Amino acid sequence: MAVPENHTLLEKMKRGESVFGSTFYSGSTTPIEIAGNWGLDFAFIDAEHTPTNVDRDMEKLVMASLLAGIAPLVRVRGVNQWDIRKSLEMGATGVIVPYVKTAEEARACVSAAKFMPIGRRGGDAGCRAASYAGPGFQWSKYMEHENATKLVIPMAESFEFFDNIDEILEVEGIDVVNFGPADYSISRQIPIDYSMKNAEVDEKLSELIEKAHARGIKVMAPCIPPVAESVTALQKKGVDMIIMGNDVMFLNQGYQRAREAIDSAAKGA
């Protein structure tokens, strides 16, 4: 059986359409499947800040995403070739690499994710991405397909990234850059605001969009709060991949409403 894939995300991006996803911290397949039911384009599955590693648990989340029709993007633990390679071999559509600060680190991301001649990814046919070397398997077609369809997404979330932005964006093989306003703010010791109303944070996102787009690179950023006005503002700014909140946020909002209902009923008793 051919490996399940999600080509809708890549097709929309090639047409210049906005694409939408959500971040998943819980380690459960349930919110990913629900997001797929509601037509989101990508699942940003986190292995950086959660107990989830790039192991059997991640494999389950990647497969749930593919079966739900939502493209899995795995945020690995850092510039780690094993995490990057294994995520893609499990069937992930792309890898998101946190806290990239230099062109050397960006090249390491590409090297781990892309086969020659772009990178130096190691290969084995006994994995899902290669359909386990099943009927009709050819190494050349497999490597060409992986290079063409798997996304390499370093994160711009430190002042060092912007100190080196031109050199980083010149690295061949970068497909998207994900802007992280919280960690950027932490690195600069300025107030943390995911809505990016801080003038410096807004300026850095604009700089990233301008320089990335000039090189044919897409930009991803969070939409907080995930409401229509925020979506429109990001689209007008030029953000290509918009992150509509996360599963923990939505759980908090639901339970907050439940608590408010309990407290309101108690006052009226």
Side-chain angles (χ1 to χ4, degrees), residues 33-34 54 58 60 90 120 138 151-152 154 157 194 196-197 201 215 225 227 243 249 258:
E33 294 175 79
I34 291 172
V54 181
M58 181 59 71
K60 177 179 68 175
M90 288 177 183
R120 291 299 304 275
Q138 294 180 16
L151 300 174
V152 178
E157 53 180 348
Y194 272 107
M196 296 182 282
K197 293 177 182 176
V201 175
R215 294 166 170 87
V227 296
I243 306 168
M249 170 193 290

Side-chain angles (χ1 to χ4, degrees), residues 134-182:
F137 174 77
Q138 294 180 16
W139 269 106
S140 58
K141 288 185 178 180
Y142 165 55
M143 294 188 292
E144 181 181 356
H145 179 76
E146 288 291 288
N147 279 355
T149 61
K150 298 305 173 74
L151 300 174
V152 178
I153 310 173
M155 291 194 68
E157 53 180 348
S158 68
F159 68 84
E160 292 98 335
F161 182 100
F162 288 94
D163 286 346
N164 301 304
I165 186 170
D166 293 306
E167 293 84 359
I168 291 172
L169 295 179
E170 286 297 324
V171 173
E172 181 187 6
I174 293 175
D175 301 292
V176 183
V177 175
N178 179 24
F179 183 59

Side-chain angles (χ1 to χ4, degrees), residues 8-21:
T8 304
L9 176 70
L10 298 177
E11 289 167 358
K12 285 185 175 181
M13 291 172 66
K14 287 178 181 177
R15 292 195 298 265
E17 297 179 23
S18 301
V19 293
F20 300 91

